[in-house]
């Protein structure tokens, strides 16, 4: 009598029946004990600066080391995080009587106070008596346990909302956009560029120098600083002084000027100017930039005239 052949299961069925096939579906969630939850969020009691304070900080937990299973190290390709996972919740309270736009410098520090990174946030048009909340994140992934343990408010500047530089892509009702760049510094010489863009629908003409008001922390005029037309009295390193010429900008065209000074400190009290109120020409709407000019004890600031921006 012929004996029946043994039943052979397909390899796929064997893998489904056995628990030791050693494969997992990508993205499978493990909700059992030890599964990773959201990063811990710690509430913060912070008096803040000028109405800006940190209310909570989120720091990711350290990632576990790869485990060994059956004598073979499991080393899957790590997923690159979209960001570091480090963030801070903050709130801005305007205790003044007019709408303000805030520029805030946040510092991400270690437990010893070492600054690992800075992030700058702009909070626009906070009404009087109003509170606006937001979140600032540490840019870029931070592999391994992060040394950052604290986020603090390092510096706050605030200007009337209708004098704040326009956000990129927005055009003020004046039809011109005035901004300041980050500037350049070498051997004590400082140069900050002013940029004028005609974002309106008609031609716009300037002829001469930007008109400036230097303001202190309370946005009151700063005394004792001469504003010079040209930079030759300060340095020849910014190029020769040229006489102002009319510049007519068609829609979309740009012009530049510059502020030039030295931060030399000799006898006397150094002068720092946190705010500069700029008018492109007489009668133009003011724009207040917050570059923090460290004028030292020189008592002078050079202004170069508007010229057409190079393409």
């Amino acid at each position: 009598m012929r004996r029946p052949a043994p039943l052979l299961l397909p390899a796929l069925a064997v893998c489904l029946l056995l628990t030791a096939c050693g494969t997992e579906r990508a993205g499978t969630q493990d909700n059992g004990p030890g599964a990773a939850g959201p990063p811990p969020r710690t509430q913060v009691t912070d008096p803040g600066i000028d109405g800006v304070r940190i209310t909570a900080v989120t720091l990711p937990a350290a990632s576990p080391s790869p485990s060994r299973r059956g004598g073979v190290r499991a080393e899957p390709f790590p997923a690159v995080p979209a960001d570091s996972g480090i963030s801070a919740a903050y709130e801005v309270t305007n205790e003044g009587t007019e709408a303000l736009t805030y520029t805030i410098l946040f510092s991400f520090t270690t437990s010893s106070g070492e600054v690992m990174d800075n992030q700058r946030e702009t909070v626009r048009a906070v009404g009087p008596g109003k509170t606006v909340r937001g979140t600032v994140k540490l840019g870029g992934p931070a592999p391994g346990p992060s040394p950052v343990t604290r986020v603090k408010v390092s510096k706050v500047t605030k200007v009337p909302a209708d004098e704040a530089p326009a956000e990129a892509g927005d055009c003020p009702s004046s039809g011109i956009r005035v901004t300041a760049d980050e500037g350049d510094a070498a051997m004590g010489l400082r140069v900050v560029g002013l940029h004028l863009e005609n974002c309106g629908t008609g031609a716009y003409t300037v002829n001469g120098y930007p008109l400036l008001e230097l303001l202190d922390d309370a946005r009151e005029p700063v005394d004792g600083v001469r504003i010079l037309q040209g930079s030759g009295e300060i340095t020849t390193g910014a190029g020769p002084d040229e006489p102002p010429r009319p510049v007519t900008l068609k829609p979309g065209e740009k012009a530049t000027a510059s502020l030039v000074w030295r931060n030399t400190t000799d006898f006397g009290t150094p002068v720092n100017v946190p705010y500069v109120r700029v008018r492109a020409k007489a009668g133009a709407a003011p724009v207040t930039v917050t570059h923090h000019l460290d004028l030292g004890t020189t008592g002078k600031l050079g202004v170069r005239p508007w010229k057409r921006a190079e393409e």
Side-chain angles (χ1 to χ4, degrees), residues 184-191 262:
D184 189 18
M187 301 295 291
L189 180 66
R190 307 284 198 261
V191 180
R262 290 193 180 277

Side-chain angles (χ1 to χ4, degrees), residues 108-189:
F108 293 76
T109 73
T110 64
S111 57
S112 62
E114 180 184 2
V115 176
M116 303 302 293
D117 195 14
N118 289 310
Q119 295 292 329
R120 197 180 303 274
E121 295 279 312
T122 298
V123 182
R124 295 184 176 274
V126 181
K130 302 295 185 181
T131 295
V132 174
R133 295 175 176 83
T135 301
V136 59
K137 295 182 178 181
L138 176 64
S146 170
V148 173
T149 60
R150 184 186 176 203
V151 186
K152 67 177 183 179
V153 179
S154 292
K155 185 183 296 182
V156 176
T157 54
K158 49 190 178 183
V159 302
D162 57 0
E163 293 186 15
E167 194 170 6
D170 289 347
C171 186
S173 59
S174 63
I176 61 168
R177 182 185 295 115
V178 176
T179 57
D181 60 30
E182 291 298 317
D184 189 18
M187 301 295 291
L189 180 66

